[in-house]
Amino acid sequence: MAMPTVNLPYPQGSQQLQTPYEACLYGSVTGSDEFRSVFDRLTLRTENGSSHLHVRELIFQAQLPSSSTNFGYSTPSTGDGNAPMLVCREDLLDEKKSWIISTRGRPEPVRLHPIAIVRPAMHARANGDIYGFASTLGFAFQSETYKRGFTFGKGVVTINVYQLDVHVTETDKWEKAPEEATWYIEAKTPPTTVGIPQSVDALVEIRDLLKGLVDLNRENLVSHT
């Protein structure tokens, strides 16, 4: 397969780039009734209702002392579980079947951002040999997951409510989890070089919106997202 064609959203070359950051909050609920309560509140209180989500994600972890990518920044690999990651997402509901490649850097210290995860991140579209592309950047394959659920939007925040598909060993296929299984909630802002406090404030609004149904916090139960 050919090496991916990557469409970068930021200028390349000698121009100095500021590092973009994203902010995230996470939570989870178990049971169909609990899920329905979260779904109904988000449907009523967010913009344009929900859209279906079904994605495949390949997770790669940095294997070099310093992971320097073609996305415009370098972040050190610390060996403490917060090494830079490359997350390659394929939208299974999109006929084009293109990939979104995301670099995820080490989160900022809790003392700087006690409310939400704030970390370096950049996104780009790509097509081609994703495994080979990741390898050339010094990333090694770590895991594969399939997420299925719903996406909501409110302002700059995207809220994904999803379950993890179950891998059936006998058939080597991924199947939908039962509705009573755990539902994961992630609220995330797009990468930005300015306005980090505003991004966190937008997440706090989502946290307050779901108060009483789910506790959104910094703990990511699906650790690679």
Side-chain angles (χ1 to χ4, degrees), residues 94-111:
D94 183 0
E95 294 182 356
K96 296 179 181 179
K97 293 292 190 295
S98 61
W99 293 85
I100 299 292
I101 297 180
S102 303
T103 56
R104 307 272 173 81
R106 175 180 170 85
E108 293 287 285
V110 176
R111 61 182 174 80

Side-chain angles (χ1 to χ4, degrees), residues 203-216:
L203 289 178
V204 169
E205 182 180 351
I206 302 301
R207 184 192 66 182
D208 293 345
L209 185 155
L210 292 175
K211 187 171 294 185
L213 300 179
V214 58
D215 176 26
L216 294 183

Side-chain angles (χ1 to χ4, degrees), residues 152-208:
F152 303 83
K154 186 171 179 62
V156 298
V157 181
T158 298
I159 308 115
N160 293 325
V161 181
Y162 64 90
Q163 293 178 306
L164 298 177
D165 282 0
V166 179
H167 182 252
V168 180
T169 305
E170 291 78 6
T171 61
D172 196 27
K173 293 182 179 180
W174 295 82
E175 296 185 357
K176 186 180 184 299
E179 192 167 293
E180 293 74 20
T182 300
W183 289 85
Y184 300 95
I185 298 97
E186 61 178 22
K188 187 179 298 184
T189 62
T192 178
T193 58
V194 295
I196 297 300
Q198 291 88 338
S199 294
V200 174
D201 288 345
L203 289 178
V204 169
E205 182 180 351
I206 302 301
R207 184 192 66 182
D208 293 345

Side-chain angles (χ1 to χ4, degrees), residues 64-189:
L64 302 178
S66 177
S67 176
S68 178
T69 79
N70 290 332
F71 293 82
Y73 69 90
S74 299
T75 50
S77 178
T78 61
D80 61 1
N82 285 322
M85 289 187 298
L86 197 68
V87 180
C88 302
R89 170 179 287 203
E90 181 184 23
D91 185 350
L92 300 176
L93 302 178
D94 183 0
E95 294 182 356
K96 296 179 181 179
K97 293 292 190 295
S98 61
W99 293 85
I100 299 292
I101 297 180
S102 303
T103 56
R104 307 272 173 81
R106 175 180 170 85
E108 293 287 285
V110 176
R111 61 182 174 80
L112 295 181
H113 298 285
I115 296 175
I117 292 287
V118 174
R119 63 191 176 197
M122 293 186 75
H123 306 320
R125 290 188 176 274
N127 292 283
D129 180 9
I130 297 299
Y131 291 93
F133 178 69
S135 178
T136 63
L137 297 179
F139 290 86
F141 176 73
Q142 183 180 29
S143 62
E144 177 182 25
T145 59
Y146 287 76
K147 299 178 178 179
R148 189 193 305 256
F150 303 91
T151 296
F152 303 83
K154 186 171 179 62
V156 298
V157 181
T158 298
I159 308 115
N160 293 325
V161 181
Y162 64 90
Q163 293 178 306
L164 298 177
D165 282 0
V166 179
H167 182 252
V168 180
T169 305
E170 291 78 6
T171 61
D172 196 27
K173 293 182 179 180
W174 295 82
E175 296 185 357
K176 186 180 184 299
E179 192 167 293
E180 293 74 20
T182 300
W183 289 85
Y184 300 95
I185 298 97
E186 61 178 22
K188 187 179 298 184
T189 62

